[in-house]
Amino acid sequence: GYYLKPLQASLIRAGIQPKGWAFDAMLAGYVLQSGRSSYPLPDLVQDYLGERLPTEDTTGESGLAAYTCAEAAACLRLEQVMSQQVAAMSCADVLYRIEVPLSEVLARMELAGVAVDVAYLHQLSDVLEALLRAKESEVYTLAGEPFNIASPKQLGQILFEKLKLPVGKKTRTGAYSTDAEVLEQLAAEYPICRSILEYRELSKLKSTYADVLPRLVHPSTGRIHTSFNQTVAATGRLSSSEPNLQNIPIRSEAGRQIRRAFVAAPGNRLLSADYSQIELRLLAHVSGDERLLQAFADDRDIHAATAMLLFGVPEEGVTPELRRKAKTVNFAVLYGMSDYGLSLELGMSVGEAHAFIENYFRQLPGVRRYLEETLAFARQHGYVTTLYGRRRYLPEIHHANRNVRQAAERAAINSPLQGTAADIIKLAMIDLDRRLRQEGYRARMVLQVHDELVLDAPAEEVPALAELARECMSGVARLRVPLKVDVEVGDNWAEMEKFMG
DNA sequence: GCATGATGC
DNA sequence: AGCATCATGC
């Protein structure tokens, strides 16, 4: 078949649970070349069969029948060719044990949807509107005139020409940058910058979330049914759209008010299970670095443990500031840090950042070895892989332009880690979905947010479900480090409490 | 349609 | 600084 998920959803909605889905050409296309922007069937037919699918003429009934038959025939032949190639690049497990079975799980999740409190969102929208108007007046007063705050061009003119604030960085096109980093720098001395930041936050919350989410509530289910896209992210992650439920605010207090709108069905509770530090645990596993492995074996606070190593202080000497620096370095490693990037982040010179990184590698030599081996592999083969064999091609690893080449090098470091984490949670979703159905749970998996699964569950199922989710998620891979899973339970997605057990 | 800037992991 | 989606301006 081709793009089976909608078909699977239709069948499931009709109460039919077909088994033995064998092949999906769209998913095969994704596994073979995850960097493509999309996988239209005519393109796959052209690229893998060297043929042209007849042009779509579905005006009449006979035209529709003929085109549908041509599609079906093409899929059968695509399976022969693509399956061979998938096997030849050792991606059979990724396609047949991960992506194909996951498709049906995603269909079930999309059908289940998630409940939102619409009345609450309307109320919140009105509050945001009032706060926004007040903040707008505040900005106009500080600027000495009204203007469109949402226009970066007008805002740049007001701040850097009229008010003569010191110019920070410029954008790629040479305009004054007014992004949060620039405004944050200026905010201590110029209150208007703080006001603009607050205006931006409120504006984002209202226009992207409070005003849009209620419109996407399905009239018959009363729930929001996102799309989980399986072929978008080059690393193997899922994405979510219409609406994106993978970027619901959590960090700011105002943002968390949006999250409160995501609720359990009546009589139910929301259960969230998330992997703790999965990417750093994977770094420990694939690098085999002794100290990193030991830190996770001891279930240490990894950023604090890193701070002890980097700064040579005892546990009680780890100040919040040192821990924050160590945390930044840990993330920088996952993203394939350059000393330049780290220097910007930590506000130090490139030389200091370089010394920082050298110190990190001296303390964690296994990590350096892994990063060097991964880069060498990418340069030699032109791709990198996850633990389960998922491949990402990096043609720009030999690019003549240094910036382009270095971006590819960072992707070479990051993709195996981000992609392996994606493989693992996908496997866990398949397993958990099977267990939920086999064991007759009424709970439904409703969201996946990269390292987190959210279930909408009858209150009485919560204790057993917490155990089941933990078991599925941490048991799905046997690594040199434990996969720690934290479980939280609550009536809404903002107010969750740790679940012990 | 691209640029910018917001949100998440 | 890795990976995404969405709103807005122009």
Side-chain angles (χ1 to χ4, degrees), chain A residues 151 234 242 244 345 392 410:
Chain A
S151 163
E242 291 177 289
N244 180 359
E345 192 62 33
R392 177 176 183 185
R410 292 192 294 270

mmCIF file with all atom_site columns, all heavy atoms in Angstrom, chain A residues 151 234 242 244 345 392 410, chain C residues 1-6 10:
data_model
loop_
_atom_site.group_PDB
_atom_site.id
_atom_site.type_symbol
_atom_site.label_atom_id
_atom_site.label_alt_id
_atom_site.label_comp_id
_atom_site.label_asym_id
_atom_site.label_entity_id
_atom_site.label_seq_id
_atom_site.pdbx_PDB_ins_code
_atom_site.Cartn_x
_atom_site.Cartn_y
_atom_site.Cartn_z
_atom_site.occupancy
_atom_site.B_iso_or_equiv
_atom_site.pdbx_formal_charge
_atom_site.auth_seq_id
_atom_site.auth_comp_id
_atom_site.auth_asym_id
_atom_site.auth_atom_id
_atom_site.pdbx_PDB_model_num
ATOM 1   N N     . SER A 1 151 ? 5.777  44.107 13.612 1.00 0.00 ? 151 SER A N     1
ATOM 2   C CA    . SER A 1 151 ? 6.612  44.250 12.423 1.00 0.00 ? 151 SER A CA    1
ATOM 3   C C     . SER A 1 151 ? 8.071  44.447 12.833 1.00 0.00 ? 151 SER A C     1
ATOM 4   O O     . SER A 1 151 ? 8.419  45.498 13.379 1.00 0.00 ? 151 SER A O     1
ATOM 5   C CB    . SER A 1 151 ? 6.140  45.448 11.598 1.00 0.00 ? 151 SER A CB    1
ATOM 6   O OG    . SER A 1 151 ? 7.158  45.827 10.691 1.00 0.00 ? 151 SER A OG    1
ATOM 7   N N     . ALA A 1 234 ? 14.044 14.410 9.489  1.00 0.00 ? 234 ALA A N     1
ATOM 8   C CA    . ALA A 1 234 ? 15.163 13.673 8.892  1.00 0.00 ? 234 ALA A CA    1
ATOM 9   C C     . ALA A 1 234 ? 15.819 12.702 9.872  1.00 0.00 ? 234 ALA A C     1
ATOM 10  O O     . ALA A 1 234 ? 16.489 11.759 9.468  1.00 0.00 ? 234 ALA A O     1
ATOM 11  C CB    . ALA A 1 234 ? 16.196 14.654 8.353  1.00 0.00 ? 234 ALA A CB    1
ATOM 12  N N     . GLU A 1 242 ? -1.448 20.617 12.781 1.00 0.00 ? 242 GLU A N     1
ATOM 13  C CA    . GLU A 1 242 ? -2.893 20.918 12.711 1.00 0.00 ? 242 GLU A CA    1
ATOM 14  C C     . GLU A 1 242 ? -3.718 20.338 13.857 1.00 0.00 ? 242 GLU A C     1
ATOM 15  O O     . GLU A 1 242 ? -4.627 19.548 13.599 1.00 0.00 ? 242 GLU A O     1
ATOM 16  C CB    . GLU A 1 242 ? -3.470 20.450 11.378 1.00 0.00 ? 242 GLU A CB    1
ATOM 17  C CG    . GLU A 1 242 ? -2.996 21.251 10.180 1.00 0.00 ? 242 GLU A CG    1
ATOM 18  C CD    . GLU A 1 242 ? -3.567 20.673 8.897  1.00 0.00 ? 242 GLU A CD    1
ATOM 19  O OE1   . GLU A 1 242 ? -3.153 19.583 8.475  1.00 0.00 ? 242 GLU A OE1   1
ATOM 20  O OE2   . GLU A 1 242 ? -4.453 21.327 8.346  1.00 0.00 ? 242 GLU A OE2   1
ATOM 21  N N     . ASN A 1 244 ? 0.003  21.526 16.012 1.00 0.00 ? 244 ASN A N     1
ATOM 22  C CA    . ASN A 1 244 ? 1.194  20.905 16.575 1.00 0.00 ? 244 ASN A CA    1
ATOM 23  C C     . ASN A 1 244 ? 0.987  20.783 18.084 1.00 0.00 ? 244 ASN A C     1
ATOM 24  O O     . ASN A 1 244 ? 0.906  21.777 18.791 1.00 0.00 ? 244 ASN A O     1
ATOM 25  C CB    . ASN A 1 244 ? 2.410  21.785 16.264 1.00 0.00 ? 244 ASN A CB    1
ATOM 26  C CG    . ASN A 1 244 ? 3.696  21.191 16.817 1.00 0.00 ? 244 ASN A CG    1
ATOM 27  O OD1   . ASN A 1 244 ? 3.678  20.130 17.455 1.00 0.00 ? 244 ASN A OD1   1
ATOM 28  N ND2   . ASN A 1 244 ? 4.805  21.848 16.558 1.00 0.00 ? 244 ASN A ND2   1
ATOM 29  N N     . GLU A 1 345 ? 26.980 30.808 23.821 1.00 0.00 ? 345 GLU A N     1
ATOM 30  C CA    . GLU A 1 345 ? 25.990 30.379 24.799 1.00 0.00 ? 345 GLU A CA    1
ATOM 31  C C     . GLU A 1 345 ? 26.417 30.720 26.229 1.00 0.00 ? 345 GLU A C     1
ATOM 32  O O     . GLU A 1 345 ? 25.604 31.109 27.043 1.00 0.00 ? 345 GLU A O     1
ATOM 33  C CB    . GLU A 1 345 ? 25.759 28.867 24.646 1.00 0.00 ? 345 GLU A CB    1
ATOM 34  C CG    . GLU A 1 345 ? 24.557 28.343 25.387 1.00 0.00 ? 345 GLU A CG    1
ATOM 35  C CD    . GLU A 1 345 ? 23.239 28.946 24.902 1.00 0.00 ? 345 GLU A CD    1
ATOM 36  O OE1   . GLU A 1 345 ? 23.105 29.247 23.689 1.00 0.00 ? 345 GLU A OE1   1
ATOM 37  O OE2   . GLU A 1 345 ? 22.359 29.124 25.742 1.00 0.00 ? 345 GLU A OE2   1
ATOM 38  N N     . ARG A 1 392 ? 20.707 8.260  7.979  1.00 0.00 ? 392 ARG A N     1
ATOM 39  C CA    . ARG A 1 392 ? 20.515 9.624  7.491  1.00 0.00 ? 392 ARG A CA    1
ATOM 40  C C     . ARG A 1 392 ? 21.708 9.995  6.625  1.00 0.00 ? 392 ARG A C     1
ATOM 41  O O     . ARG A 1 392 ? 22.852 9.971  7.085  1.00 0.00 ? 392 ARG A O     1
ATOM 42  C CB    . ARG A 1 392 ? 20.393 10.611 8.649  1.00 0.00 ? 392 ARG A CB    1
ATOM 43  C CG    . ARG A 1 392 ? 20.269 12.037 8.118  1.00 0.00 ? 392 ARG A CG    1
ATOM 44  C CD    . ARG A 1 392 ? 20.052 13.069 9.185  1.00 0.00 ? 392 ARG A CD    1
ATOM 45  N NE    . ARG A 1 392 ? 19.867 14.378 8.578  1.00 0.00 ? 392 ARG A NE    1
ATOM 46  C CZ    . ARG A 1 392 ? 19.757 15.506 9.252  1.00 0.00 ? 392 ARG A CZ    1
ATOM 47  N NH1   . ARG A 1 392 ? 19.769 15.470 10.572 1.00 0.00 ? 392 ARG A NH1   1
ATOM 48  N NH2   . ARG A 1 392 ? 19.603 16.657 8.631  1.00 0.00 ? 392 ARG A NH2   1
ATOM 49  N N     . ARG A 1 410 ? 27.680 18.662 12.613 1.00 0.00 ? 410 ARG A N     1
ATOM 50  C CA    . ARG A 1 410 ? 26.866 18.677 13.839 1.00 0.00 ? 410 ARG A CA    1
ATOM 51  C C     . ARG A 1 410 ? 25.678 17.725 13.714 1.00 0.00 ? 410 ARG A C     1
ATOM 52  O O     . ARG A 1 410 ? 25.347 17.003 14.656 1.00 0.00 ? 410 ARG A O     1
ATOM 53  C CB    . ARG A 1 410 ? 26.395 20.102 14.135 1.00 0.00 ? 410 ARG A CB    1
ATOM 54  C CG    . ARG A 1 410 ? 27.534 21.028 14.538 1.00 0.00 ? 410 ARG A CG    1
ATOM 55  C CD    . ARG A 1 410 ? 27.025 22.343 15.104 1.00 0.00 ? 410 ARG A CD    1
ATOM 56  N NE    . ARG A 1 410 ? 26.328 23.143 14.096 1.00 0.00 ? 410 ARG A NE    1
ATOM 57  C CZ    . ARG A 1 410 ? 26.912 24.034 13.309 1.00 0.00 ? 410 ARG A CZ    1
ATOM 58  N NH1   . ARG A 1 410 ? 28.213 24.242 13.389 1.00 0.00 ? 410 ARG A NH1   1
ATOM 59  N NH2   . ARG A 1 410 ? 26.207 24.728 12.431 1.00 0.00 ? 410 ARG A NH2   1
ATOM 60  P P     . DA  C 2 1   ? 24.564 28.984 16.765 1.00 0.00 ? 1   DA  C P     1
ATOM 61  O OP1   . DA  C 2 1   ? 25.636 29.523 16.094 1.00 0.00 ? 1   DA  C OP1   1
ATOM 62  O OP2   . DA  C 2 1   ? 23.226 28.993 16.241 1.00 0.00 ? 1   DA  C OP2   1
ATOM 63  O "O5'" . DA  C 2 1   ? 24.889 27.564 17.363 1.00 0.00 ? 1   DA  C "O5'" 1
ATOM 64  C "C5'" . DA  C 2 1   ? 25.691 26.602 16.667 1.00 0.00 ? 1   DA  C "C5'" 1
ATOM 65  C "C4'" . DA  C 2 1   ? 25.036 25.239 16.796 1.00 0.00 ? 1   DA  C "C4'" 1
ATOM 66  O "O4'" . DA  C 2 1   ? 24.883 24.917 18.205 1.00 0.00 ? 1   DA  C "O4'" 1
ATOM 67  C "C3'" . DA  C 2 1   ? 23.613 25.189 16.225 1.00 0.00 ? 1   DA  C "C3'" 1
ATOM 68  O "O3'" . DA  C 2 1   ? 23.409 23.897 15.671 1.00 0.00 ? 1   DA  C "O3'" 1
ATOM 69  C "C2'" . DA  C 2 1   ? 22.722 25.392 17.443 1.00 0.00 ? 1   DA  C "C2'" 1
ATOM 70  C "C1'" . DA  C 2 1   ? 23.512 24.650 18.493 1.00 0.00 ? 1   DA  C "C1'" 1
ATOM 71  N N9    . DA  C 2 1   ? 23.278 25.068 19.868 1.00 0.00 ? 1   DA  C N9    1
ATOM 72  C C8    . DA  C 2 1   ? 22.166 25.640 20.410 1.00 0.00 ? 1   DA  C C8    1
ATOM 73  N N7    . DA  C 2 1   ? 22.244 25.883 21.682 1.00 0.00 ? 1   DA  C N7    1
ATOM 74  C C5    . DA  C 2 1   ? 23.505 25.441 22.004 1.00 0.00 ? 1   DA  C C5    1
ATOM 75  C C6    . DA  C 2 1   ? 24.218 25.413 23.204 1.00 0.00 ? 1   DA  C C6    1
ATOM 76  N N6    . DA  C 2 1   ? 23.730 25.860 24.348 1.00 0.00 ? 1   DA  C N6    1
ATOM 77  N N1    . DA  C 2 1   ? 25.470 24.890 23.193 1.00 0.00 ? 1   DA  C N1    1
ATOM 78  C C2    . DA  C 2 1   ? 25.940 24.428 22.033 1.00 0.00 ? 1   DA  C C2    1
ATOM 79  N N3    . DA  C 2 1   ? 25.366 24.412 20.832 1.00 0.00 ? 1   DA  C N3    1
ATOM 80  C C4    . DA  C 2 1   ? 24.156 24.941 20.896 1.00 0.00 ? 1   DA  C C4    1
ATOM 81  P P     . DG  C 2 2   ? 22.586 23.739 14.327 1.00 0.00 ? 2   DG  C P     1
ATOM 82  O OP1   . DG  C 2 2   ? 23.567 23.706 13.247 1.00 0.00 ? 2   DG  C OP1   1
ATOM 83  O OP2   . DG  C 2 2   ? 21.467 24.698 14.313 1.00 0.00 ? 2   DG  C OP2   1
ATOM 84  O "O5'" . DG  C 2 2   ? 21.956 22.279 14.507 1.00 0.00 ? 2   DG  C "O5'" 1
ATOM 85  C "C5'" . DG  C 2 2   ? 22.804 21.129 14.509 1.00 0.00 ? 2   DG  C "C5'" 1
ATOM 86  C "C4'" . DG  C 2 2   ? 21.989 19.939 14.984 1.00 0.00 ? 2   DG  C "C4'" 1
ATOM 87  O "O4'" . DG  C 2 2   ? 21.780 20.057 16.397 1.00 0.00 ? 2   DG  C "O4'" 1
ATOM 88  C "C3'" . DG  C 2 2   ? 20.594 19.866 14.382 1.00 0.00 ? 2   DG  C "C3'" 1
ATOM 89  O "O3'" . DG  C 2 2   ? 20.638 19.158 13.161 1.00 0.00 ? 2   DG  C "O3'" 1
ATOM 90  C "C2'" . DG  C 2 2   ? 19.824 19.096 15.430 1.00 0.00 ? 2   DG  C "C2'" 1
ATOM 91  C "C1'" . DG  C 2 2   ? 20.477 19.582 16.720 1.00 0.00 ? 2   DG  C "C1'" 1
ATOM 92  N N9    . DG  C 2 2   ? 19.750 20.666 17.366 1.00 0.00 ? 2   DG  C N9    1
ATOM 93  C C8    . DG  C 2 2   ? 20.092 21.992 17.420 1.00 0.00 ? 2   DG  C C8    1
ATOM 94  N N7    . DG  C 2 2   ? 19.232 22.709 18.086 1.00 0.00 ? 2   DG  C N7    1
ATOM 95  C C5    . DG  C 2 2   ? 18.264 21.807 18.482 1.00 0.00 ? 2   DG  C C5    1
ATOM 96  C C6    . DG  C 2 2   ? 17.080 21.998 19.234 1.00 0.00 ? 2   DG  C C6    1
ATOM 97  O O6    . DG  C 2 2   ? 16.641 23.047 19.720 1.00 0.00 ? 2   DG  C O6    1
ATOM 98  N N1    . DG  C 2 2   ? 16.380 20.819 19.404 1.00 0.00 ? 2   DG  C N1    1
ATOM 99  C C2    . DG  C 2 2   ? 16.775 19.604 18.908 1.00 0.00 ? 2   DG  C C2    1
ATOM 100 N N2    . DG  C 2 2   ? 15.973 18.569 19.164 1.00 0.00 ? 2   DG  C N2    1
ATOM 101 N N3    . DG  C 2 2   ? 17.872 19.399 18.221 1.00 0.00 ? 2   DG  C N3    1
ATOM 102 C C4    . DG  C 2 2   ? 18.571 20.547 18.038 1.00 0.00 ? 2   DG  C C4    1
ATOM 103 P P     . DC  C 2 3   ? 19.490 19.468 12.041 1.00 0.00 ? 3   DC  C P     1
ATOM 104 O OP1   . DC  C 2 3   ? 19.768 18.539 10.953 1.00 0.00 ? 3   DC  C OP1   1
ATOM 105 O OP2   . DC  C 2 3   ? 19.388 20.918 11.805 1.00 0.00 ? 3   DC  C OP2   1
ATOM 106 O "O5'" . DC  C 2 3   ? 18.123 19.040 12.768 1.00 0.00 ? 3   DC  C "O5'" 1
ATOM 107 C "C5'" . DC  C 2 3   ? 17.831 17.664 12.928 1.00 0.00 ? 3   DC  C "C5'" 1
ATOM 108 C "C4'" . DC  C 2 3   ? 16.476 17.521 13.577 1.00 0.00 ? 3   DC  C "C4'" 1
ATOM 109 O "O4'" . DC  C 2 3   ? 16.485 18.167 14.869 1.00 0.00 ? 3   DC  C "O4'" 1
ATOM 110 C "C3'" . DC  C 2 3   ? 15.361 18.232 12.833 1.00 0.00 ? 3   DC  C "C3'" 1
ATOM 111 O "O3'" . DC  C 2 3   ? 14.919 17.434 11.755 1.00 0.00 ? 3   DC  C "O3'" 1
ATOM 112 C "C2'" . DC  C 2 3   ? 14.317 18.352 13.921 1.00 0.00 ? 3   DC  C "C2'" 1
ATOM 113 C "C1'" . DC  C 2 3   ? 15.165 18.593 15.176 1.00 0.00 ? 3   DC  C "C1'" 1
ATOM 114 N N1    . DC  C 2 3   ? 15.210 20.008 15.611 1.00 0.00 ? 3   DC  C N1    1
ATOM 115 C C2    . DC  C 2 3   ? 14.171 20.475 16.422 1.00 0.00 ? 3   DC  C C2    1
ATOM 116 O O2    . DC  C 2 3   ? 13.270 19.697 16.732 1.00 0.00 ? 3   DC  C O2    1
ATOM 117 N N3    . DC  C 2 3   ? 14.188 21.750 16.836 1.00 0.00 ? 3   DC  C N3    1
ATOM 118 C C4    . DC  C 2 3   ? 15.180 22.566 16.466 1.00 0.00 ? 3   DC  C C4    1
ATOM 119 N N4    . DC  C 2 3   ? 15.149 23.826 16.928 1.00 0.00 ? 3   DC  C N4    1
ATOM 120 C C5    . DC  C 2 3   ? 16.246 22.117 15.635 1.00 0.00 ? 3   DC  C C5    1
ATOM 121 C C6    . DC  C 2 3   ? 16.219 20.844 15.226 1.00 0.00 ? 3   DC  C C6    1
ATOM 122 P P     . DA  C 2 4   ? 13.883 18.131 10.693 1.00 0.00 ? 4   DA  C P     1
ATOM 123 O OP1   . DA  C 2 4   ? 13.737 17.166 9.616  1.00 0.00 ? 4   DA  C OP1   1
ATOM 124 O OP2   . DA  C 2 4   ? 14.276 19.526 10.424 1.00 0.00 ? 4   DA  C OP2   1
ATOM 125 O "O5'" . DA  C 2 4   ? 12.534 18.143 11.550 1.00 0.00 ? 4   DA  C "O5'" 1
ATOM 126 C "C5'" . DA  C 2 4   ? 11.484 19.014 11.197 1.00 0.00 ? 4   DA  C "C5'" 1
ATOM 127 C "C4'" . DA  C 2 4   ? 10.549 19.124 12.377 1.00 0.00 ? 4   DA  C "C4'" 1
ATOM 128 O "O4'" . DA  C 2 4   ? 11.264 19.672 13.501 1.00 0.00 ? 4   DA  C "O4'" 1
ATOM 129 C "C3'" . DA  C 2 4   ? 9.381  20.077 12.149 1.00 0.00 ? 4   DA  C "C3'" 1
ATOM 130 O "O3'" . DA  C 2 4   ? 8.307  19.336 11.610 1.00 0.00 ? 4   DA  C "O3'" 1
ATOM 131 C "C2'" . DA  C 2 4   ? 9.048  20.551 13.552 1.00 0.00 ? 4   DA  C "C2'" 1
ATOM 132 C "C1'" . DA  C 2 4   ? 10.394 20.469 14.284 1.00 0.00 ? 4   DA  C "C1'" 1
ATOM 133 N N9    . DA  C 2 4   ? 11.054 21.757 14.499 1.00 0.00 ? 4   DA  C N9    1
ATOM 134 C C8    . DA  C 2 4   ? 12.215 22.226 13.945 1.00 0.00 ? 4   DA  C C8    1
ATOM 135 N N7    . DA  C 2 4   ? 12.560 23.415 14.370 1.00 0.00 ? 4   DA  C N7    1
ATOM 136 C C5    . DA  C 2 4   ? 11.559 23.766 15.249 1.00 0.00 ? 4   DA  C C5    1
ATOM 137 C C6    . DA  C 2 4   ? 11.329 24.902 16.038 1.00 0.00 ? 4   DA  C C6    1
ATOM 138 N N6    . DA  C 2 4   ? 12.154 25.958 16.066 1.00 0.00 ? 4   DA  C N6    1
ATOM 139 N N1    . DA  C 2 4   ? 10.224 24.931 16.801 1.00 0.00 ? 4   DA  C N1    1
ATOM 140 C C2    . DA  C 2 4   ? 9.391  23.876 16.778 1.00 0.00 ? 4   DA  C C2    1
ATOM 141 N N3    . DA  C 2 4   ? 9.500  22.738 16.083 1.00 0.00 ? 4   DA  C N3    1
ATOM 142 C C4    . DA  C 2 4   ? 10.615 22.750 15.335 1.00 0.00 ? 4   DA  C C4    1
ATOM 143 P P     . DT  C 2 5   ? 7.184  20.066 10.701 1.00 0.00 ? 5   DT  C P     1
ATOM 144 O OP1   . DT  C 2 5   ? 6.237  19.031 10.284 1.00 0.00 ? 5   DT  C OP1   1
ATOM 145 O OP2   . DT  C 2 5   ? 7.878  20.908 9.710  1.00 0.00 ? 5   DT  C OP2   1
ATOM 146 O "O5'" . DT  C 2 5   ? 6.474  21.050 11.736 1.00 0.00 ? 5   DT  C "O5'" 1
ATOM 147 C "C5'" . DT  C 2 5   ? 5.669  20.505 12.773 1.00 0.00 ? 5   DT  C "C5'" 1
ATOM 148 C "C4'" . DT  C 2 5   ? 4.798  21.602 13.339 1.00 0.00 ? 5   DT  C "C4'" 1
ATOM 149 O "O4'" . DT  C 2 5   ? 5.620  22.604 13.967 1.00 0.00 ? 5   DT  C "O4'" 1
ATOM 150 C "C3'" . DT  C 2 5   ? 3.962  22.328 12.279 1.00 0.00 ? 5   DT  C "C3'" 1
ATOM 151 O "O3'" . DT  C 2 5   ? 2.682  22.544 12.855 1.00 0.00 ? 5   DT  C "O3'" 1
ATOM 152 C "C2'" . DT  C 2 5   ? 4.735  23.622 12.035 1.00 0.00 ? 5   DT  C "C2'" 1
ATOM 153 C "C1'" . DT  C 2 5   ? 5.371  23.883 13.389 1.00 0.00 ? 5   DT  C "C1'" 1
ATOM 154 N N1    . DT  C 2 5   ? 6.674  24.582 13.366 1.00 0.00 ? 5   DT  C N1    1
ATOM 155 C C2    . DT  C 2 5   ? 6.862  25.662 14.209 1.00 0.00 ? 5   DT  C C2    1
ATOM 156 O O2    . DT  C 2 5   ? 5.990  26.069 14.961 1.00 0.00 ? 5   DT  C O2    1
ATOM 157 N N3    . DT  C 2 5   ? 8.100  26.250 14.132 1.00 0.00 ? 5   DT  C N3    1
ATOM 158 C C4    . DT  C 2 5   ? 9.147  25.872 13.326 1.00 0.00 ? 5   DT  C C4    1
ATOM 159 O O4    . DT  C 2 5   ? 10.201 26.483 13.359 1.00 0.00 ? 5   DT  C O4    1
ATOM 160 C C5    . DT  C 2 5   ? 8.889  24.727 12.464 1.00 0.00 ? 5   DT  C C5    1
ATOM 161 C C7    . DT  C 2 5   ? 9.973  24.235 11.542 1.00 0.00 ? 5   DT  C C7    1
ATOM 162 C C6    . DT  C 2 5   ? 7.686  24.148 12.525 1.00 0.00 ? 5   DT  C C6    1
ATOM 163 P P     . DC  C 2 6   ? 1.482  23.194 12.008 1.00 0.00 ? 6   DC  C P     1
ATOM 164 O OP1   . DC  C 2 6   ? 0.250  22.620 12.533 1.00 0.00 ? 6   DC  C OP1   1
ATOM 165 O OP2   . DC  C 2 6   ? 1.811  23.132 10.576 1.00 0.00 ? 6   DC  C OP2   1
ATOM 166 O "O5'" . DC  C 2 6   ? 1.549  24.720 12.465 1.00 0.00 ? 6   DC  C "O5'" 1
ATOM 167 C "C5'" . DC  C 2 6   ? 1.347  25.021 13.832 1.00 0.00 ? 6   DC  C "C5'" 1
ATOM 168 C "C4'" . DC  C 2 6   ? 1.448  26.516 14.039 1.00 0.00 ? 6   DC  C "C4'" 1
ATOM 169 O "O4'" . DC  C 2 6   ? 2.826  26.919 13.963 1.00 0.00 ? 6   DC  C "O4'" 1
ATOM 170 C "C3'" . DC  C 2 6   ? 0.691  27.334 12.996 1.00 0.00 ? 6   DC  C "C3'" 1
ATOM 171 O "O3'" . DC  C 2 6   ? -0.148 28.240 13.692 1.00 0.00 ? 6   DC  C "O3'" 1
ATOM 172 C "C2'" . DC  C 2 6   ? 1.792  28.056 12.212 1.00 0.00 ? 6   DC  C "C2'" 1
ATOM 173 C "C1'" . DC  C 2 6   ? 2.921  28.121 13.243 1.00 0.00 ? 6   DC  C "C1'" 1
ATOM 174 N N1    . DC  C 2 6   ? 4.294  28.175 12.674 1.00 0.00 ? 6   DC  C N1    1
ATOM 175 C C2    . DC  C 2 6   ? 5.208  29.096 13.204 1.00 0.00 ? 6   DC  C C2    1
ATOM 176 O O2    . DC  C 2 6   ? 4.847  29.839 14.120 1.00 0.00 ? 6   DC  C O2    1
ATOM 177 N N3    . DC  C 2 6   ? 6.461  29.128 12.694 1.00 0.00 ? 6   DC  C N3    1
ATOM 178 C C4    . DC  C 2 6   ? 6.801  28.294 11.711 1.00 0.00 ? 6   DC  C C4    1
ATOM 179 N N4    . DC  C 2 6   ? 8.058  28.365 11.252 1.00 0.00 ? 6   DC  C N4    1
ATOM 180 C C5    . DC  C 2 6   ? 5.892  27.348 11.164 1.00 0.00 ? 6   DC  C C5    1
ATOM 181 C C6    . DC  C 2 6   ? 4.654  27.319 11.667 1.00 0.00 ? 6   DC  C C6    1
ATOM 182 P P     . DC  C 2 10  ? 5.222  45.152 7.861  1.00 0.00 ? 10  DC  C P     1
ATOM 183 O OP1   . DC  C 2 10  ? 6.219  46.090 8.417  1.00 0.00 ? 10  DC  C OP1   1
ATOM 184 O OP2   . DC  C 2 10  ? 3.817  45.554 7.721  1.00 0.00 ? 10  DC  C OP2   1
ATOM 185 O "O5'" . DC  C 2 10  ? 5.751  44.631 6.459  1.00 0.00 ? 10  DC  C "O5'" 1
ATOM 186 C "C5'" . DC  C 2 10  ? 7.103  44.166 6.348  1.00 0.00 ? 10  DC  C "C5'" 1
ATOM 187 C "C4'" . DC  C 2 10  ? 7.338  43.659 4.956  1.00 0.00 ? 10  DC  C "C4'" 1
ATOM 188 O "O4'" . DC  C 2 10  ? 6.707  42.355 4.825  1.00 0.00 ? 10  DC  C "O4'" 1
ATOM 189 C "C3'" . DC  C 2 10  ? 6.724  44.529 3.857  1.00 0.00 ? 10  DC  C "C3'" 1
ATOM 190 O "O3'" . DC  C 2 10  ? 7.685  44.761 2.845  1.00 0.00 ? 10  DC  C "O3'" 1
ATOM 191 C "C2'" . DC  C 2 10  ? 5.557  43.699 3.320  1.00 0.00 ? 10  DC  C "C2'" 1
ATOM 192 C "C1'" . DC  C 2 10  ? 6.087  42.285 3.567  1.00 0.00 ? 10  DC  C "C1'" 1
ATOM 193 N N1    . DC  C 2 10  ? 5.047  41.238 3.611  1.00 0.00 ? 10  DC  C N1    1
ATOM 194 C C2    . DC  C 2 10  ? 5.375  39.950 3.160  1.00 0.00 ? 10  DC  C C2    1
ATOM 195 O O2    . DC  C 2 10  ? 6.519  39.747 2.750  1.00 0.00 ? 10  DC  C O2    1
ATOM 196 N N3    . DC  C 2 10  ? 4.430  38.975 3.194  1.00 0.00 ? 10  DC  C N3    1
ATOM 197 C C4    . DC  C 2 10  ? 3.208  39.258 3.649  1.00 0.00 ? 10  DC  C C4    1
ATOM 198 N N4    . DC  C 2 10  ? 2.328  38.262 3.662  1.00 0.00 ? 10  DC  C N4    1
ATOM 199 C C5    . DC  C 2 10  ? 2.857  40.544 4.113  1.00 0.00 ? 10  DC  C C5    1
ATOM 200 C C6    . DC  C 2 10  ? 3.791  41.498 4.085  1.00 0.00 ? 10  DC  C C6    1
#
